[in-house]
Amino acid sequence: MTAGRLVNEKQFPRLIEAFAQVADQLPEWRLRIYGTGPKRQELLRHVRKLGLFDRVELPGAVADMRGEWAKASICALTSRAEGFPLV
């Protein structure tokens, strides 16, 4: 999982592509990208293009982010730069 504003700086398309490379080998895994922003529709198109519509979730913002982090097995940070990363 990852979380952040859905903007170019976060490079979420790269994370989706990395997940696509291993998704067939790990059929029970899901990628969840939490957050909102102007790139949401672009990310959804990218997910569909890669055939991952049933494996990649963009649930938006959630009230209990701490609980979502606790449920995750892996955390990914793909940002170009983070001045003060909260993840």
Side-chain angles (χ1 to χ4, degrees):
M1 77 156 282
T2 193
R5 192 152 152 68
L6 306 182
V7 294
N8 287 334
E9 181 70 23
K10 301 299 183 178
Q11 301 192 91
F12 292 140
R14 295 185 95 188
L15 178 58
I16 294 166
E17 290 166 14
F19 180 70
Q21 291 180 16
V22 299
D24 286 342
Q25 299 158 356
L26 304 162
E28 70 281 1
W29 282 28
R30 301 290 177 270
L31 171 59
R32 291 184 185 95
I33 301 173
Y34 293 92
T36 60
K39 295 296 181 177
R40 179 180 175 77
Q41 291 304 316
E42 183 179 316
L43 290 172
L44 289 170
R45 283 191 296 273
H46 196 56
V47 166
R48 284 192 298 272
K49 178 181 150 191
L50 294 173
L52 296 170
F53 59 90
D54 59 339
R55 306 280 307 280
V56 177
E57 303 169 13
L58 282 86
V62 296
D64 181 22
M65 201 62 229
R66 181 187 298 197
E68 298 304 321
W69 286 118
K71 289 189 272 184
S73 298
I74 295 175
C75 168
L77 180 61
T78 55
S79 297
R80 286 188 186 111
E82 288 285 344
F84 185 65
L86 298 175
V87 295

